[in-house]
Amino acid sequence: MPAIQWHKKTKDVEEQQELKRRAVLDVAASLFSSVGYKKTSLDDIAAELDLTKPALYYYARNKENILMQCALVSLERVGLCFDAAQGSTGDGLDRVHVFFRSYAALVVSDFGSSLMREARRNLTGKNQEKLRQTLRDGQDFLEEVIEAGIKDKSIRECSPKRLAQILFSAFNQMPEWYDPDGPEPPEVIGDQILNLMTNGIKA
């Protein structure tokens, strides 16, 4: 379980409330990742934090709201991956590598797993619509990076849309099979996936 900041005291009331909200999300993301959203109850989250369920409602209206908040944290971190790619001085292919090295580490984290496995399957209504729109925005950004790579000749002529779909599909499956106790960190596995995509499997 992540380190919980529930009992940490600060002089700033708003900061204290934010620390507690993030403690709720840390625990929830860990449970959603390890046992799944449907098997996790609000009682489970409250028990990990040693507080009552009514107290938990101060930070979230219901379990889906907690899942949505976890998804938003993860999406913020995806944004940082794009920022890193955008700030890279390399060519288009280099920027794709920069993005996915960071993205690989994100998707196998508790929050990344909560987004890729649980949020995409279990959010409903407006929450699902908001998530899908944000993911579409990410797809659009990656397509722009690929298009830039095609123009600078670092990526061969292809469909940016199809390549972006293939790359995201490959990396988004990592939470299903990645072994955190294995010999290779996610960044190394990310490079392996990209090298296979870049060079193909033909001898």
Side-chain angles (χ1 to χ4, degrees), residues 5-201:
Q5 299 291 322
W6 190 262
H7 299 294
K8 181 178 179 180
K9 301 296 183 182
T10 68
K11 294 181 179 180
D12 189 316
V13 175
E14 290 186 0
E15 181 184 354
Q16 177 73 3
Q17 296 306 317
E18 178 61 15
L19 285 171
K20 290 185 175 182
R21 185 184 76 87
R22 287 304 296 265
V24 169
L25 299 186
D26 285 346
V27 165
S30 180
L31 289 171
F32 293 158
S33 176
S34 59
V35 301
Y37 173 77
K38 290 183 178 179
K39 292 182 179 180
T40 300
S41 68
L42 290 178
D43 287 326
D44 295 329
I45 298 171
E48 288 290 336
L49 291 162
D50 193 24
L51 76 157
T52 64
K53 187 158 54 171
L56 188 61
Y57 286 126
Y58 182 82
Y59 302 96
R61 296 186 300 274
N62 50 49
K63 191 171 73 166
E64 182 171 335
N65 180 252
I66 293 177
L67 179 61
M68 185 62 188
Q69 290 188 59
C70 288
L72 291 175
V73 170
S74 184
L75 290 170
E76 288 175 4
R77 295 177 182 179
V78 174
L80 295 177
C81 297
F82 280 121
D83 289 344
Q86 190 78 296
S88 172
T89 57
D91 57 29
L93 183 58
D94 289 333
R95 291 165 66 197
V96 170
H97 273 266
V98 168
F99 172 75
F100 279 108
R101 277 182 63 84
S102 299
Y103 191 73
L106 168 63
V107 294
V108 298
S109 69
D110 288 339
F111 279 99
S113 180
S114 293
L115 171 65
M116 298 309 161
R117 289 194 303 184
E118 305 303 324
R120 296 174 75 184
R121 297 172 182 172
N122 295 293
L123 289 177
T124 61
K126 291 184 178 180
N127 286 335
Q128 183 65 249
E129 291 176 13
K130 183 175 182 178
L131 176 62
R132 287 179 177 174
Q133 182 57 56
T134 305
L135 294 175
R136 281 195 292 269
D137 292 342
Q139 169 86 15
D140 291 342
F141 181 88
L142 183 58
E143 287 178 28
E144 291 177 7
V145 173
I146 293 170
E147 287 173 358
I150 293 172
K151 289 180 180 178
D152 66 30
K153 308 299 183 183
S154 61
I155 298 175
R156 73 170 179 82
E157 286 288 340
C158 65
S159 164
K161 181 181 183 66
R162 197 67 63 228
L163 179 54
Q165 289 172 334
I166 291 170
L167 287 170
F168 272 129
S169 293
F171 280 87
N172 290 347
Q173 287 297 310
M174 283 184 66
E176 301 290 347
W177 49 260
Y178 174 72
D179 179 7
D181 298 320
E184 297 171 322
E187 295 88 349
V188 170
I189 295 175
D191 280 338
Q192 292 171 351
I193 293 173
L194 287 169
N195 287 334
L196 285 170
M197 293 288 187
T198 302
N199 302 316
I201 62 173

